[in-house]
Coordinates of all heavy atoms in Angstrom, one line a residue:
M299 N 28.0 -65.5 -15.8 CA 29.1 -66.5 -15.8 C 30.0 -66.4 -17.0 O 31.2 -66.5 -17.0 CB 28.5 -68.0 -15.7 CG 27.7 -68.2 -14.5 SD 28.7 -68.2 -13.0 CE 29.4 -69.9 -13.0
L300 N 29.4 -66.0 -18.2 CA 30.2 -65.8 -19.4 C 31.1 -64.7 -19.2 O 32.3 -64.7 -19.6 CB 29.2 -65.6 -20.6 CG 29.9 -65.2 -21.9 CD1 30.6 -66.5 -22.5 CD2 28.8 -64.9 -22.9
L301 N 30.6 -63.5 -18.7 CA 31.4 -62.4 -18.5 C 32.5 -62.6 -17.5 O 33.7 -62.2 -17.6 CB 30.5 -61.2 -18.0 CG 29.5 -60.6 -19.0 CD1 28.7 -59.5 -18.3 CD2 30.3 -60.1 -20.2
I302 N 32.2 -63.3 -16.4 CA 33.2 -63.5 -15.3 C 34.3 -64.5 -15.9 O 35.5 -64.2 -15.7 CB 32.6 -64.2 -14.1 CG1 31.7 -63.2 -13.4 CG2 33.6 -64.6 -13.1 CD1 30.8 -63.7 -12.3
G303 N 33.9 -65.4 -16.7 CA 35.0 -66.3 -17.3 C 35.8 -65.5 -18.2 O 37.1 -65.8 -18.3
L304 N 35.3 -64.7 -19.0 CA 36.1 -63.9 -19.9 C 37.2 -63.1 -19.2 O 38.3 -63.0 -19.6 CB 35.2 -62.9 -20.7 CG 35.9 -61.9 -21.6 CD1 36.5 -62.7 -22.9 CD2 34.8 -60.8 -22.1
C305 N 36.8 -62.4 -18.1 CA 37.7 -61.6 -17.3 C 38.7 -62.5 -16.5 O 39.9 -62.3 -16.5 CB 37.0 -60.7 -16.3 SG 35.7 -59.6 -17.1
Y306 N 38.1 -63.6 -16.0 CA 39.0 -64.6 -15.2 C 40.1 -65.1 -16.0 O 41.2 -65.2 -15.6 CB 38.0 -65.6 -14.7 CG 38.6 -66.6 -13.7 CD1 38.9 -66.2 -12.4 CD2 38.8 -67.9 -14.0 CE1 39.4 -67.1 -11.5 CE2 39.2 -68.9 -13.1 CZ 39.6 -68.5 -11.9 OH 40.0 -69.4 -11.0
G307 N 39.8 -65.6 -17.2 CA 40.9 -66.1 -18.1 C 41.8 -65.1 -18.7 O 43.0 -65.2 -18.7
G308 N 41.3 -64.0 -19.1 CA 42.0 -62.9 -19.8 C 43.1 -62.3 -18.8 O 44.2 -62.1 -19.1
L309 N 42.6 -61.9 -17.6 CA 43.4 -61.3 -16.7 C 44.5 -62.2 -16.1 O 45.6 -61.8 -15.7 CB 42.6 -60.7 -15.5 CG 41.8 -59.5 -15.9 CD1 40.9 -59.1 -14.8 CD2 42.8 -58.3 -16.2
Q310 N 44.3 -63.6 -16.2 CA 45.3 -64.5 -15.7 C 46.6 -64.4 -16.7 O 47.7 -64.3 -16.3 CB 44.8 -65.9 -15.7 CG 43.8 -66.2 -14.5 CD 43.3 -67.6 -14.6 OE1 43.9 -68.5 -15.0 NE2 42.0 -67.7 -14.3
N311 N 46.2 -64.4 -18.0 CA 47.3 -64.3 -19.0 C 48.0 -63.0 -18.9 O 49.2 -63.0 -18.9 CB 46.7 -64.6 -20.4 CG 47.7 -64.7 -21.5 OD1 48.7 -64.0 -21.6 ND2 47.6 -65.7 -22.3
L312 N 47.3 -62.0 -18.9 CA 47.8 -60.6 -19.0 C 48.7 -60.2 -17.8 O 49.8 -59.7 -17.9 CB 46.8 -59.6 -19.2 CG 45.9 -59.7 -20.4 CD1 44.7 -58.8 -20.4 CD2 46.8 -59.4 -21.6
T313 N 48.2 -60.7 -16.6 CA 49.0 -60.4 -15.4 C 50.3 -61.1 -15.4 O 51.3 -60.6 -14.8 CB 48.2 -60.5 -14.2 OG1 47.6 -61.8 -14.1 CG2 47.1 -59.4 -14.0
L314 N 50.3 -62.4 -15.9 CA 51.5 -63.1 -15.9 C 52.5 -62.5 -16.9 O 53.7 -62.5 -16.6 CB 51.2 -64.6 -16.2 CG 52.4 -65.6 -16.2 CD1 53.1 -65.6 -14.9 CD2 51.9 -67.0 -16.5
L315 N 52.0 -62.2 -18.0 CA 52.9 -61.6 -19.0 C 53.5 -60.3 -18.5 O 54.6 -60.0 -18.6 CB 52.0 -61.3 -20.2 CG 52.8 -60.8 -21.5 CD1 53.8 -61.9 -21.9 CD2 51.9 -60.6 -22.7
V316 N 52.7 -59.5 -17.8 CA 53.2 -58.2 -17.2 C 54.2 -58.6 -16.1 O 55.3 -57.8 -15.9 CB 52.0 -57.4 -16.6 CG1 52.6 -56.2 -15.8 CG2 51.2 -56.8 -17.8
S317 N 54.0 -59.6 -15.4 CA 55.0 -59.9 -14.3 C 56.3 -60.4 -14.8 O 57.3 -59.9 -14.4 CB 54.4 -61.1 -13.5 OG 53.2 -60.8 -12.8
F318 N 56.3 -61.2 -15.9 CA 57.6 -61.6 -16.5 C 58.3 -60.4 -17.1 O 59.6 -60.2 -17.1 CB 57.4 -62.7 -17.6 CG 57.2 -63.9 -17.0 CD1 56.1 -64.8 -17.5 CD2 57.8 -64.5 -15.9 CE1 55.9 -66.0 -17.1 CE2 57.6 -65.8 -15.4 CZ 56.6 -66.6 -16.0
S319 N 57.5 -59.4 -17.7 CA 58.2 -58.2 -18.3 C 58.7 -57.3 -17.3 O 59.6 -56.5 -17.5 CB 57.1 -57.4 -19.1 OG 56.5 -58.2 -20.1
A320 N 58.3 -57.4 -16.0 CA 58.6 -56.5 -14.9 C 59.9 -56.8 -14.3 O 60.5 -56.0 -13.6 CB 57.6 -56.3 -13.9
V321 N 60.5 -58.0 -14.6 CA 61.7 -58.4 -14.0 C 62.7 -59.0 -15.0 O 62.3 -59.4 -16.1 CB 61.5 -59.5 -12.9 CG1 60.7 -58.8 -11.7 CG2 60.8 -60.7 -13.4
S322 N 64.0 -59.1 -14.7 CA 65.0 -59.7 -15.6 C 64.8 -61.2 -15.4 O 64.2 -61.7 -14.5 CB 66.4 -59.2 -15.2 OG 66.6 -59.4 -13.8
R323 N 65.6 -61.9 -16.3 CA 65.4 -63.4 -16.4 C 65.7 -64.0 -15.1 O 65.0 -65.1 -14.7 CB 66.3 -63.9 -17.5 CG 66.4 -65.4 -17.6 CD 67.4 -65.9 -18.6 NE 67.5 -67.3 -18.6 CZ 66.8 -68.2 -19.2 NH1 65.8 -67.7 -20.0 NH2 67.0 -69.5 -19.1
R324 N 66.7 -63.5 -14.3 CA 67.1 -64.3 -13.1 C 66.0 -64.3 -12.0 O 66.0 -65.0 -11.1 CB 68.3 -63.6 -12.5 CG 68.1 -62.1 -12.0 CD 69.5 -61.6 -11.4 NE 69.8 -62.3 -10.2 CZ 69.5 -61.9 -9.0 NH1 68.8 -60.8 -8.8 NH2 70.0 -62.6 -7.9
H325 N 65.0 -63.4 -12.2 CA 63.8 -63.3 -11.3 C 62.5 -63.9 -11.9 O 61.5 -63.8 -11.3 CB 63.5 -61.8 -10.9 CG 64.6 -61.2 -10.0 ND1 65.1 -61.9 -9.0 CD2 65.2 -60.0 -10.0 CE1 66.1 -61.2 -8.4 NE2 66.1 -60.0 -9.0
H326 N 62.7 -64.6 -13.0 CA 61.4 -65.2 -13.6 C 60.8 -66.2 -12.7 O 59.5 -66.3 -12.6 CB 61.7 -65.9 -14.9 CG 61.8 -64.9 -16.0 ND1 62.2 -65.1 -17.3 CD2 61.5 -63.5 -16.0 CE1 62.1 -64.0 -18.0 NE2 61.7 -63.0 -17.3
N327 N 61.6 -67.1 -11.9 CA 61.0 -68.0 -11.0 C 60.3 -67.2 -9.9 O 59.2 -67.6 -9.4 CB 62.0 -68.9 -10.4 CG 62.4 -70.0 -11.3 OD1 61.9 -70.1 -12.5 ND2 63.4 -70.8 -11.0
L328 N 60.9 -66.1 -9.4 CA 60.3 -65.3 -8.4 C 58.9 -64.7 -8.9 O 57.9 -64.7 -8.2 CB 61.2 -64.1 -8.0 CG 60.6 -63.1 -7.0 CD1 60.3 -63.7 -5.7 CD2 61.6 -62.0 -6.9
A329 N 58.9 -64.2 -10.2 CA 57.7 -63.7 -10.7 C 56.6 -64.7 -10.8 O 55.4 -64.4 -10.5 CB 58.1 -63.1 -12.2
S330 N 56.9 -65.9 -11.2 CA 56.0 -67.1 -11.2 C 55.4 -67.3 -9.8 O 54.2 -67.5 -9.7 CB 56.6 -68.3 -11.8 OG 55.8 -69.4 -11.8
A331 N 56.3 -67.3 -8.8 CA 55.9 -67.5 -7.4 C 54.9 -66.5 -7.0 O 53.9 -66.7 -6.5 CB 57.0 -67.7 -6.5
V332 N 55.3 -65.2 -7.2 CA 54.4 -64.1 -6.7 C 53.1 -64.1 -7.4 O 52.1 -63.9 -6.8 CB 55.2 -62.7 -6.9 CG1 54.3 -61.5 -6.6 CG2 56.4 -62.7 -6.0
W333 N 53.1 -64.4 -8.8 CA 51.9 -64.3 -9.5 C 51.0 -65.5 -9.0 O 49.7 -65.2 -8.8 CB 52.2 -64.6 -11.0 CG 51.1 -64.6 -11.9 CD1 50.4 -63.5 -12.5 CD2 50.3 -65.8 -12.3 NE1 49.3 -63.9 -13.3 CE2 49.2 -65.4 -13.1 CE3 50.3 -67.0 -12.0 CZ2 48.2 -66.1 -13.8 CZ3 49.4 -68.0 -12.6 CH2 48.4 -67.5 -13.4
N334 N 51.5 -66.6 -8.7 CA 50.7 -67.7 -8.3 C 50.2 -67.5 -6.8 O 49.1 -67.9 -6.5 CB 51.5 -69.0 -8.3 CG 51.5 -69.7 -9.7 OD1 50.5 -70.2 -10.1 ND2 52.6 -69.5 -10.5
V335 N 51.0 -66.8 -6.0 CA 50.5 -66.4 -4.7 C 49.3 -65.5 -4.9 O 48.2 -65.7 -4.1 CB 51.6 -65.7 -3.9 CG1 51.0 -65.0 -2.7 CG2 52.7 -66.6 -3.5
G336 N 49.3 -64.5 -5.8 CA 48.1 -63.7 -6.0 C 46.9 -64.5 -6.5 O 45.8 -64.3 -6.0
F337 N 47.2 -65.4 -7.4 CA 46.1 -66.3 -7.9 C 45.5 -67.0 -6.8 O 44.3 -67.0 -6.6 CB 46.6 -67.2 -9.0 CG 45.6 -68.0 -9.6 CD1 45.2 -67.7 -11.0 CD2 45.0 -69.1 -9.1 CE1 44.2 -68.4 -11.6 CE2 44.0 -69.9 -9.7 CZ 43.7 -69.5 -11.0
D338 N 46.2 -67.7 -6.0 CA 45.6 -68.7 -5.0 C 45.2 -68.0 -3.8 O 44.3 -68.4 -3.1 CB 46.7 -69.8 -4.7 CG 46.9 -70.7 -6.0 OD1 45.8 -71.1 -6.6 OD2 48.0 -70.9 -6.3
A339 N 45.9 -66.8 -3.4 CA 45.4 -66.1 -2.3 C 44.0 -65.5 -2.6 O 43.1 -65.5 -1.8 CB 46.4 -65.0 -2.0
G340 N 43.9 -65.0 -3.8 CA 42.6 -64.5 -4.2 C 41.5 -65.6 -4.2 O 40.4 -65.4 -3.7
T341 N 41.8 -66.8 -4.7 CA 40.9 -67.9 -4.8 C 40.5 -68.3 -3.3 O 39.3 -68.6 -3.1 CB 41.4 -69.1 -5.6 OG1 41.8 -68.6 -6.8 CG2 40.4 -70.1 -5.7
A342 N 41.5 -68.3 -2.4 CA 41.2 -68.7 -1.0 C 40.3 -67.7 -0.3 O 39.4 -68.0 0.3 CB 42.6 -68.8 -0.3
L343 N 40.6 -66.4 -0.6 CA 39.8 -65.3 0.0 C 38.3 -65.4 -0.6 O 37.3 -65.2 0.2 CB 40.3 -64.0 -0.3 CG 41.5 -63.6 0.5 CD1 42.2 -62.3 0.0 CD2 41.2 -63.4 2.0
G344 N 38.2 -65.7 -1.9 CA 36.9 -65.9 -2.4 C 36.1 -67.1 -1.8 O 34.9 -67.0 -1.7
S345 N 36.8 -68.0 -1.4 CA 36.2 -69.2 -0.7 C 35.8 -68.9 0.7 O 34.7 -69.1 1.2 CB 37.1 -70.4 -0.8 OG 36.5 -71.5 -0.2
V346 N 36.8 -68.4 1.5 CA 36.6 -68.3 3.0 C 35.8 -67.0 3.2 O 34.8 -67.0 3.9 CB 38.0 -68.3 3.7 CG1 37.8 -68.0 5.1 CG2 38.7 -69.5 3.4
A347 N 36.3 -65.8 2.8 CA 35.7 -64.6 3.2 C 34.3 -64.5 2.6 O 33.3 -64.0 3.3 CB 36.6 -63.3 2.6
V348 N 34.2 -64.9 1.4 CA 32.8 -64.7 0.8 C 31.8 -65.7 1.5 O 30.6 -65.4 1.6 CB 32.8 -65.0 -0.8 CG1 31.4 -65.1 -1.4 CG2 33.5 -63.8 -1.5
G349 N 32.3 -66.9 1.8 CA 31.5 -67.9 2.6 C 31.0 -67.3 3.9 O 29.8 -67.4 4.3
V350 N 31.9 -66.6 4.6 CA 31.6 -66.0 5.9 C 30.5 -64.8 5.7 O 29.5 -64.8 6.4 CB 32.8 -65.5 6.7 CG1 32.4 -64.6 7.8 CG2 33.7 -66.6 7.0
I351 N 30.8 -64.0 4.7 CA 29.8 -62.9 4.4 C 28.5 -63.4 4.0 O 27.4 -63.0 4.5 CB 30.4 -62.0 3.3 CG1 31.7 -61.3 3.9 CG2 29.4 -60.9 3.0 CD1 32.4 -60.5 2.8
A352 N 28.5 -64.5 3.2 CA 27.2 -65.1 2.8 C 26.5 -65.8 3.9 O 25.2 -65.6 4.0 CB 27.5 -66.1 1.7
Q353 N 27.1 -66.3 4.8 CA 26.5 -66.9 6.0 C 25.9 -65.8 6.9 O 24.7 -65.9 7.4 CB 27.4 -67.7 6.8 CG 26.7 -68.5 8.0 CD 27.6 -69.5 8.6 OE1 28.4 -70.1 7.9 NE2 27.4 -69.8 9.9
L354 N 26.5 -64.7 7.0 CA 26.1 -63.5 7.9 C 25.0 -62.7 7.2 O 24.2 -62.2 7.9 CB 27.2 -62.7 8.3 CG 28.3 -63.3 9.1 CD1 29.5 -62.3 9.4 CD2 27.7 -63.7 10.5
T355 N 25.0 -62.7 5.9 CA 24.1 -61.9 5.1 C 23.4 -62.7 4.1 O 22.3 -63.3 4.4 CB 24.8 -60.6 4.5 OG1 25.9 -61.1 3.6 CG2 25.5 -59.7 5.6
S356 N 24.0 -62.7 2.9 CA 23.4 -63.5 1.8 C 24.5 -63.6 0.7 O 25.4 -62.8 0.7 CB 22.2 -62.8 1.2 OG 22.5 -61.5 0.6
F357 N 24.2 -64.5 -0.2 CA 25.1 -64.6 -1.4 C 25.1 -63.4 -2.2 O 26.1 -62.9 -2.8 CB 24.7 -65.8 -2.2 CG 25.2 -67.2 -1.7 CD1 24.4 -68.1 -1.3 CD2 26.6 -67.3 -1.5 CE1 24.8 -69.3 -0.8 CE2 27.1 -68.6 -1.1 CZ 26.2 -69.6 -0.6
T358 N 23.9 -62.7 -2.3 CA 23.8 -61.5 -3.1 C 24.8 -60.4 -2.5 O 25.6 -59.8 -3.3 CB 22.4 -60.9 -3.1 OG1 21.5 -61.9 -3.7 CG2 22.3 -59.6 -3.8
T359 N 24.8 -60.2 -1.2 CA 25.6 -59.2 -0.6 C 27.1 -59.6 -0.8 O 28.0 -58.8 -1.1 CB 25.4 -59.1 0.9 OG1 23.9 -58.6 1.0 CG2 26.3 -58.0 1.5
A360 N 27.4 -60.8 -0.5 CA 28.8 -61.3 -0.6 C 29.4 -61.2 -2.1 O 30.5 -60.7 -2.2 CB 28.9 -62.8 -0.3
F361 N 28.6 -61.4 -3.0 CA 29.1 -61.3 -4.4 C 29.2 -59.8 -4.8 O 30.1 -59.5 -5.6 CB 28.2 -61.9 -5.4 CG 28.4 -63.5 -5.4 CD1 28.8 -64.2 -4.3 CD2 28.3 -64.2 -6.6 CE1 29.1 -65.5 -4.3 CE2 28.4 -65.5 -6.7 CZ 29.0 -66.2 -5.6
L362 N 28.4 -58.9 -4.3 CA 28.5 -57.5 -4.5 C 29.9 -57.0 -3.9 O 30.6 -56.2 -4.5 CB 27.3 -56.8 -4.0 CG 26.0 -56.9 -4.7 CD1 24.9 -56.2 -4.1 CD2 26.2 -56.3 -6.2
V363 N 30.1 -57.4 -2.8 CA 31.4 -57.1 -2.1 C 32.6 -57.5 -3.0 O 33.5 -56.8 -3.2 CB 31.5 -57.7 -0.7 CG1 32.9 -57.5 -0.1 CG2 30.5 -57.0 0.2
A364 N 32.6 -58.8 -3.5 CA 33.7 -59.3 -4.2 C 33.8 -58.6 -5.6 O 34.9 -58.2 -6.0 CB 33.4 -60.8 -4.6
G365 N 32.7 -58.1 -6.2 CA 32.7 -57.3 -7.4 C 33.3 -55.9 -7.1 O 34.1 -55.3 -7.9
A366 N 33.0 -55.3 -5.9 CA 33.6 -54.0 -5.6 C 35.0 -54.0 -5.4 O 35.7 -53.1 -5.7 CB 32.8 -53.5 -4.3
I367 N 35.5 -55.1 -4.8 CA 37.0 -55.3 -4.6 C 37.7 -55.3 -6.0 O 38.7 -54.7 -6.1 CB 37.2 -56.5 -3.8 CG1 36.8 -56.4 -2.3 CG2 38.8 -56.9 -3.8 CD1 36.8 -57.6 -1.5

Side-chain angles (χ1 to χ4, degrees):
M299 296 294 277
L300 177 67
L301 292 177
I302 293 170
L304 177 69
C305 302
Y306 187 69
L309 287 170
Q310 287 174 41
N311 187 312
L312 296 170
T313 52
L314 183 56
L315 190 56
V316 169
S317 295
F318 285 138
S319 300
V321 296
S322 56
R323 176 183 171 85
R324 66 181 294 266
H325 290 315
H326 279 173
N327 284 355
L328 176 65
S330 176
V332 171
W333 182 88
N334 278 286
V335 166
F337 186 102
D338 295 313
T341 306
L343 287 172
S345 176
V346 177
V348 171
V350 171
I351 295 172
Q353 183 168 330
L354 295 176
T355 57
S356 65
F357 279 117
T358 297
T359 301
F361 278 34
L362 287 174
V363 170
I367 292 172

